[in-house]
DNA sequence: TCAAAAGTGTTTCAATTACACCCATGT
DNA sequence: ACATGGGTGTAATTGAAACACTTTTGA
């Protein structure tokens, strides 16, 4: 078998919305390389694991339950000098989780806008993950992955505002999501958010696609 | 460094449109494993190559020039038993080329609908590649990657028809693509396609995104 | 002259936008 | 009572779908 051998890692772009701000889960590296710098959580693929299994295990080790969370493969990165220890290919994964009371494991939540430069090529992996999340909010129902099991339309709208930085008119947004079949399932109960009229509670519906899509004001120009 | 070692391969989903039919480039495997079966062209990553470099080299070895062709990473596949020789991770790539007079190299053009079951997990890789191409025609100008340097709107429309199986009304399609700034650049010359009124010739413009997108009648429901 | 393909004009319809207005609740 | 957020009604606007019709070529 020609070709050289690689260690294969999975790295996780775990995104959430905290207080209206899109945040990513980062870990400060204890050991070299890049000791002391911030990096995406991740680790090597073990034994007979498949990629998504390895990513799920890393989520578990961080302290996040697997099921109920969105987890998908992003892209692979294998520049020859990306890891000084040798040839390491990493498969970036995107995980979306609802707001959690405490940062899990040894990790910290950092606003995406303040993430700065990360270890390895994780700056690029993070950028790709955020762009993927932004794009998918347009044409899928993925925004619910940022919400707890039951949520109001306001909470869902705040997800769009945090991820996109903007969002359509609240009243039209409400109509759009409730009129898409299978997007939201009303629970029948209402909840008060402190002030104002209480909102209807919803769960995720079975729909995944959004037709027609939700429109951003100035969508970014993705590379072909 | 924990974790086991992998051989890393790149496999290519090379798509083109021949006589109005979406075709994929396949190679019959000479050596085990899967000897005699059809597979996607590909090979192991060598030396200090990055992934896209390795995919470009494979394209060259097949006999296709690199530049001018669209080439992008698709996804990685690493199921533990996908290759009987051991742990091999493959990074699928998508390449789009215009119709070529002869099938390059040792390869054959096979209509995607007749590809059947391929070696390894290449059936899945092909399906993912086709789905990516279908999706990208909606919101990018990628269809021009299937066309030669100069082409008519009819040729471009036939790309949509081949890839999607359907396409909007020819007259509205014409308006849509010509009214999107930067999609098409008229060359000023006309060309006759045997019968009927000659059409205007165009080149690719600098635009990559399509806003608003081209709409399919029944878009497939992509996994979240 | 006719068939075939390119391209324009125009009507119809669906969806988004914008915004006036009412509803329900906490203070 | 009133501020605050939830939600409905509705007109204006935009863009796509549908299709009649003209233009330009080859046979």
């Amino acid at each position: 078998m020609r070709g050289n051998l690689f260690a294969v890692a999975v790295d996780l772009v775990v995104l959430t919305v905290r207080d209206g701000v899109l945040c990513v889960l980062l870990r400060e590296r204890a050991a070299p390389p890049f000791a002391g710098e911030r990096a995406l959580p991740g680790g090597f693929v073990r034994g007979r694991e498949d990629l998504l299994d390895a990513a799920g295990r890393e989520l578990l080790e961080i302290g996040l339950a697997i099921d109920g969370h969105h987890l998908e493969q992003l892209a692979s990165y294998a520049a020859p000098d990306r890891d000084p220890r040798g040839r390491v290919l990493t498969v970036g994964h995107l995980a979306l989780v609802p707001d959690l009371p405490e940062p899990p494991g040894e990790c910290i939540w950092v606003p995406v806008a303040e993430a700065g430069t990360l270890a390895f090529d994780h700056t690029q992996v993070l950028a790709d993950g955020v762009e993927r999340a932004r794009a998918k909010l347009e044409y899928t129902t993925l925004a619910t992955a940022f919400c707890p099991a039951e949520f109001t339309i306001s909470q869902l709208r705040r997800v769009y505002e945090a991820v996109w930085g903007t969002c359509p008119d609240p009243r039209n947004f409400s109509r759009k999501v409730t009129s898409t079949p299978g997007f939201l399932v009303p629970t029948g109960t209402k909840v008060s958010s402190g002030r104002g009229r209480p909102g209807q509670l919803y769960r995720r519906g079975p729909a995944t696609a959004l037709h027609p899509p939700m429109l951003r004001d100035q969508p970014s120009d993705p590379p072909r």
Side-chain angles (χ1 to χ4, degrees), chain A residues 160-184:
Chain A
Y160 277 89
E161 284 168 357
V163 177
W164 283 355
T166 175
C167 179
D169 182 281
R171 292 148 312 182
N172 294 330
F173 178 84
S174 173
R175 245 191 304 252
K176 170 99 185 171
V177 294
T178 52
S179 68
T180 300
F183 193 167
L184 300 179

Side-chain angles (χ1 to χ4, degrees), chain A residues 116-191:
Chain A
T117 304
L118 305 180
F120 304 103
D121 45 10
H122 289 184
T123 307
Q124 183 65 46
V125 183
L126 171 59
D128 292 350
V130 170
E131 183 49 42
R132 173 82 62 97
R134 286 191 174 136
K136 278 207 157 185
L137 288 207
E138 286 191 49
Y139 58 92
T140 72
T141 63
L142 200 54
T144 59
F146 285 106
C147 296
E150 301 196 343
F151 54 90
T152 64
I153 292 183
S154 291
Q155 288 179 267
L156 188 64
R157 183 167 42 78
R158 269 184 271 276
V159 168
Y160 277 89
E161 284 168 357
V163 177
W164 283 355
T166 175
C167 179
D169 182 281
R171 292 148 312 182
N172 294 330
F173 178 84
S174 173
R175 245 191 304 252
K176 170 99 185 171
V177 294
T178 52
S179 68
T180 300
F183 193 167
L184 300 179
V185 179
T187 63
T189 58
K190 290 171 185 282
V191 68

Side-chain angles (χ1 to χ4, degrees), chain A residues 13-183:
Chain A
V13 178
V14 185
L15 299 179
T16 197
V17 175
R18 290 170 65 81
D19 297 323
V21 178
L22 183 66
C23 294
V24 60
L25 200 64
L26 296 180
R27 195 155 52 182
E28 205 159 276
R29 287 186 61 83
F34 298 99
E37 293 187 38
R38 286 171 171 177
L40 298 173
F44 291 103
V45 176
R46 301 181 193 159
R48 292 177 43 78
E49 282 179 331
D50 201 346
L51 298 171
L52 214 56
D53 298 334
R57 171 180 54 74
E58 291 290 336
L59 266 186
L60 260 183
E61 291 181 5
I62 288 168
L64 296 167
I66 297 177
D67 52 301
H69 294 153
H70 177 81
L71 180 60
E72 67 173 298
Q73 188 185 120
L74 257 182
S76 294
Y77 307 81
D81 295 315
R82 63 175 297 278
D83 191 320
R85 293 168 292 184
R87 286 223 74 167
V88 180
L89 178 149
T90 193
V91 186
H93 286 75
L94 176 65
L96 306 182
V97 302
D99 190 9
L100 299 165
E102 290 297 315
E106 307 280 309
C107 299
I108 49 173
W109 289 116
V110 177
V112 165
E114 302 165 15
T117 304
L118 305 180
F120 304 103
D121 45 10
H122 289 184
T123 307
Q124 183 65 46
V125 183
L126 171 59
D128 292 350
V130 170
E131 183 49 42
R132 173 82 62 97
R134 286 191 174 136
K136 278 207 157 185
L137 288 207
E138 286 191 49
Y139 58 92
T140 72
T141 63
L142 200 54
T144 59
F146 285 106
C147 296
E150 301 196 343
F151 54 90
T152 64
I153 292 183
S154 291
Q155 288 179 267
L156 188 64
R157 183 167 42 78
R158 269 184 271 276
V159 168
Y160 277 89
E161 284 168 357
V163 177
W164 283 355
T166 175
C167 179
D169 182 281
R171 292 148 312 182
N172 294 330
F173 178 84
S174 173
R175 245 191 304 252
K176 170 99 185 171
V177 294
T178 52
S179 68
T180 300
F183 193 167

